[in-house]
């Protein structure tokens, strides 16, 4: 079963707002990856993190590899309408070879 | 674009019929994966391949078989489709020595 807890499960955003989401686990991870999935498409890689404490940006997106190696965070600054979609975290467990474990996803929607 | 093509993109079939999904890659990646995506379960690994004729089971392999006779093609077969296999299926590739997965656009399979 899933070993990654991703939160929130869903959230509404208003254009211009900053957005934060995270993934947590009781297990230690060697690598964290963040993906975005648009409707009808496959997940697209946004950011890859390889070291505890690492902070990496991709445009308005910033992700961090938690110091404990059991969590990771993704922030989106000044959100725009095309940010809507599902964001997934994925981690490579310390003793799982190259297999990835996926979080359940955070669905970003636009406030009506 | 990671050079991954999945076919078909959509398929409707009846319970008990065999179904084969194809994943084709153009960049000679060693590792290929099949995932299924279902609401509430996220992405779950079905089977993967680490070379021609080298395959192994993932988390949810029951009812599925795979074959890889050429580097560029990875086939997923449902020998006798069941309604529980209605899902979106994603192929992914990975380069040796790198944890990053790159996904295809998916196949929506409906088993009636």
């Amino acid at each position: 079963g899933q070993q990654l807890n991703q939160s929130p499960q869903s959230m509404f955003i208003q254009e211009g707002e900053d957005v934060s989401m995270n993934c947590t686990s009781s297990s230690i991870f060697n690598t964290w990856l963040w993906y975005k999935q648009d409707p009808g498409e496959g997940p697209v890689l946004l950011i890859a993190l390889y070291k505890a404490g690492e902070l990496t940006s991709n445009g308005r997106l910033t992700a961090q590899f938690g110091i404990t190696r059991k969590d990771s965070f993704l922030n989106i600054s000044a959100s725009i309408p095309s940010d809507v979609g599902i964001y997934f975290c994925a981690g490579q467990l310390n003793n799982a070879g190259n297999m990835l474990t996926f979080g359940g996803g955070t669905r970003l929607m636009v406030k009506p | 674009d990671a050079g991954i093509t999945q076919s078909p993109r959509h398929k409707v079939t009846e319970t008990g019929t065999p179904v084969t999904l194809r994943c084709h890659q153009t960049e000679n990646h060693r590792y290929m994966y099949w995932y299924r995506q279902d609401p509430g379960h996220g992405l779950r690994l079905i089977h993967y391949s680490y070379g021609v004729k080298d395959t192994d089971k993932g988390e949810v392999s029951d009812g599925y078989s795979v074959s890889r006779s050429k580097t560029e093609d990875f086939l997923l077969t449902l020998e006798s489709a069941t309604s529980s296999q209605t899902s979106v299926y994603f192929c992914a590739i990975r380069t040796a020595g790198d944890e990053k997965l790159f996904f295809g656009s998916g196949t929506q399979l409906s088993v009636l």
Side-chain angles (χ1 to χ4, degrees), chain A residues 10-14 84-85 107-111:
Chain A
S10 62
M11 61 190 306
F12 284 94
I13 60 171
Q14 199 145 44
V84 300
R107 182 183 294 273
L108 242 56
M109 298 166 283
V110 177
K111 278 183 187 170

Side-chain angles (χ1 to χ4, degrees), chain A residues 1-2 31 33 35 37 40-43 45 48 50 88 92 98-100 102, chain B residues 9 35 37 41-43 45 48 59 90 94 98-105:
Chain A
Q2 283 184 12
T31 301
L33 306 172
Y35 289 86
Q37 185 177 24
E41 296 297 328
L45 182 67
Y50 299 102
F88 290 99
Q92 181 204 7
N98 292 109
M99 290 302 156
L100 291 181
F102 283 86
Chain B
R9 288 296 312 274
Y35 284 86
Q37 185 177 38
H41 291 280
L43 285 155
L45 181 63
Y48 65 99
E59 177 188 356
F90 288 101
R94 182 174 68 82
D98 193 341
E99 291 76 20
K100 298 193 288 284
L101 282 182
F102 296 93
F103 288 86
S105 297

Side-chain angles (χ1 to χ4, degrees), chain A residues 22-23 27-28 34-35 46 50 57 60 64 66 73 75 90 101:
Chain A
N22 67 79
C23 270
S27 303
I28 291 176
W34 283 92
Y35 289 86
L46 299 172
Y50 299 102
S57 293
R60 294 176 296 104
Q64 184 164 23
F73 310 87
N75 295 308
T101 300

Side-chain angles (χ1 to χ4, degrees), chain A residues 1-86:
Chain A
Q2 283 184 12
Q3 301 179 54
L4 280 181
N5 299 309
Q6 191 169 348
S7 66
Q9 286 188 319
S10 62
M11 61 190 306
F12 284 94
I13 60 171
Q14 199 145 44
E15 188 170 356
E17 284 182 339
D18 295 344
V19 174
S20 293
M21 62 190 77
N22 67 79
C23 270
T24 60
S25 175
S26 57
S27 303
I28 291 176
F29 287 83
N30 289 335
T31 301
W32 287 97
L33 306 172
W34 283 92
Y35 289 86
K36 183 194 179 203
Q37 185 177 24
D38 291 323
E41 296 297 328
V44 173
L45 182 67
L46 299 172
I47 293 177
L49 303 161
Y50 299 102
K51 295 189 303 186
E54 181 179 354
L55 191 71
T56 298
S57 293
N58 177 5
R60 294 176 296 104
L61 278 61
T62 301
Q64 184 164 23
F65 195 136
I67 291 289
T68 65
R69 294 171 63 193
K70 295 181 180 181
D71 54 14
S72 180
F73 310 87
L74 177 69
N75 295 308
I76 306 172
S77 62
S79 58
I80 59 178
S82 61
D83 288 335
V84 300
I86 304 177

